[in-house]
Structures are given as structure tokens and as C-alpha cells.
Amino acid sequence: MIRVWLKRVAIAIVALLVVFVVGVVPYWLGGMATTRRFQFPDKENANLTPASFELAYEDVAFRSGDGTELKGWWVPASPSRGSVVMVHGLNRSRIEMVKRVPFVHARGWSTILLDLRHHGASGGEATTFGVKEKEDVKAAARFARERAPGPVVLWGVSLGAASAVLAAAEDPEAKGLICDSSFRSLEDTVRHHLVLFRGFRWWLRIVPSWPTTDLSIFWIGRRGGFDPAQSNVVAAAAQLDGRPSLFVANSDDRRMPKEIAFVLKAAAGESASVLIVPGKSHGGAWRDGTAAYEAAAAVVLEAVAGGVASGAPAAVASR
């Protein structure tokens, strides 16, 4: 009788573990990645606006291709050589990009800083890792073209970088790109981050990589309402058709290793360049290596303004 009871308990425990591994964990991770609305406490940029740098700006609202309402700041330059669309990272908002605006404005470029869908003050029900966010970026570019003459450059960090590349692949009127700390694809970054998460969530250490990773990707797509296969930044970079591009990374970023920048550069072709800034942060290259970053970004802006290939070196590192 005791043996039978123990056997039943063991079977129940195994069944619960299976449900936990193949059901609860992937479903929870899928929701955490897509439908949870969380904003990182951006202390270094808190309460900043373009006015903090004595720049006039306007609060603006416009709609993405699917009707999602987007909010942002429009910072005009007069005269304007063109416009830069600045796109923040995951769980951030437009203020993440605001310290870049004086650099762009001083070179005669207007700027639009937007909150992506499901971020900041914008609408939207889910994060989709660039698949729908690319439409937000394209909408911001259309807004900029309506407000100022000249070409448009897309400049994004992390999720914003991936969204910018995906948008540029479909928008030939985006004449240049600055991609900072992007991922390769949703599938690649989910696999990589689940390995990282094991380091600070003890219960994930008992969860096997297979089938948890594949099921998590499935639920990310299902709960976010999109096809994860469409979040392929490398394939999008290959569609840039020689447009001036800069791929940026921190040298010791564990979340988005620097090797990704070189993979994207290789896909984009000879007109692209790479900037590797020493540092361990994710998306912190502007802060960690401002001078080198400004110099590399200026090459892209001047190439776009002049309508010529960038001619930037294959790799640059700040000192």
C-alpha cells in the first residue's frame, strides 16, 4: 500500500513538473516579454526634455499604420538639412534618446523622438520585437517628411535599433541608419537571454532549454499577436542597399554581444561601419564613448546629406 501511494505521489510530482516546464514557464515568459507594460526607471535622463538643452520642441501625436496612437517630441532645426527619427529601447521611452538631440540639432537636423507602441505615452497592447514597431518608425519618418525638407535617418537603441533596421528594409526613403545594440533575431535573443536569466532566477536553472525556449518563442508570438519569424534583423540589414549605416555596441555587453554588430555590418555591405565602445553596459555606448560615437554618427549624417557612400572605417573603438 505504501509503495502504491509513493508511486502515485511520484507520478503526480512528475506531472506537475512537466506542466510547469512546458506550460507555466513558457506562457509566463511569453506574457512577460509582450503584454507586461513596464518602464525602466531611467534615472540618468529623468525629467529631461529638449528644453533642458535650450531647444524648442513640440509635443506631437500621430498614428502608426495599424491606427495605434503614438506620442513624441518634434524638435525642428531651421534651416533643416533633414530629419532624424530617434527610437528608444525595450521598457524605455523617448527620454532615453534626448541627450543625442543637441548633437543632431547642432548639425542642422530636425529630430522626432517617439514612444514606441506599448511604451511611454503611446497606445498599443503588446511589444512585438520590431515586427509591429517598424510601422511606428515608418510613421514617424512620414511625419518628419511632412514637417521638414530633406532626407530621413533612423537612429535606434536595442529594440529601437532592431525596429529601425526592419523599417529601413521596407522604406527606401530612409536614407541612413544608426543601429545601436540590436539583436540578430527574436529567436536568437530569446535563446541567449534564457541562458542569462538562469544566472539570477534560481528556478530557471531547473528548467531545461528544450522545449522551454521553443515554447517561449511560440507564446511570445501568440500573446503578442505576431509571427516571431518576421523579427529577423540580419535579413533586414541585407536589404539596406548600400545606404550609409553605423552599427554600434559596447565591448562587454552581455545582453547583445558586440559580435552582433559585425554580423549586421556584414549583411549591410561595404557602406556600413562598426563602432565598438569599451564598456559593460547595454545600450550605453553614447554615454560611455561620446566623442567616438559623435564622430562616427557625424560620418553617417554627412554621407546622407551629401548623398554619397559613407566611406567609414570597418571598425572604430573609443579610447
Side-chain angles (χ1 to χ4, degrees), residues 44-196:
E44 67 177 289
N45 298 307
N47 301 316
L48 292 178
T49 71
S52 304
F53 307 96
E54 300 183 352
L55 296 175
Y57 75 100
E58 177 185 349
D59 289 304
V60 297
F62 51 98
R63 294 192 179 273
S64 190
D66 63 357
T68 300
E69 186 176 44
L70 306 173
K71 299 293 183 68
W73 290 325
W74 170 250
V75 188
S78 183
S80 181
R81 303 173 72 192
S83 301
V84 177
V85 178
M86 293 194 172
V87 197
H88 63 81
L90 181 66
N91 297 330
R92 302 274 187 157
S93 71
R94 72 191 92 158
I95 67 169
E96 181 183 24
M97 307 298 289
V98 72
K99 289 182 179 178
R100 295 163 171 78
V101 176
F103 161 79
V104 169
H105 193 269
R107 283 155 183 78
W109 291 74
S110 299
T111 311
I112 182 166
L113 304 90
L114 77 150
D115 288 340
L116 290 170
R117 66 182 59 218
H118 203 234
H119 288 79
S122 291
E125 300 301 322
T127 295
T128 66
F129 294 89
V131 175
K132 295 181 181 180
E133 288 82 359
K134 69 183 178 184
E135 301 300 329
D136 304 345
V137 178
K138 289 158 65 176
R142 288 193 296 271
F143 179 94
R145 293 186 191 106
E146 292 170 358
R147 298 293 294 267
V152 170
V153 173
L154 309 181
W155 187 344
V157 174
S158 192
L159 169 62
S163 303
V165 179
L166 292 166
E170 298 182 0
D171 182 4
E173 294 305 309
K175 299 301 184 182
L177 172 74
I178 301 174
C179 170
D180 185 339
S181 305
S182 176
F183 48 84
R184 293 182 183 90
S185 67
L186 174 59
E187 178 180 352
D188 180 76
T189 201
V190 169
R191 294 185 187 281
H192 176 68
H193 278 76
L194 281 178
V195 172
L196 293 181

Side-chain angles (χ1 to χ4, degrees), residues 200-283:
F200 56 87
R201 292 195 182 272
W202 66 267
W203 54 268
L204 277 175
R205 297 172 194 168
I206 65 173
V207 175
S209 297
W210 186 89
T212 307
T213 302
D214 291 336
L215 289 170
S216 296
I217 294 169
F218 168 81
W219 280 115
I220 286 171
R222 176 62 66 88
R223 298 193 70 179
F226 69 102
D227 178 3
Q230 294 181 8
S231 179
N232 188 331
V233 184
V234 177
Q239 304 300 315
L240 293 177
D241 300 323
R243 284 170 278 179
S245 304
L246 172 67
F247 297 95
V248 182
N250 278 91
S251 61
D252 298 298
D253 180 359
R254 294 181 64 201
R255 291 187 57 199
M256 308 295 175
K258 64 180 182 294
E259 289 77 14
I260 296 175
F262 290 97
V263 170
L264 294 173
K265 189 270 179 196
E270 295 182 357
S271 63
S273 60
V274 172
L275 172 69
I276 304 299
V277 174
K280 297 181 179 180
S281 67
H282 170 63

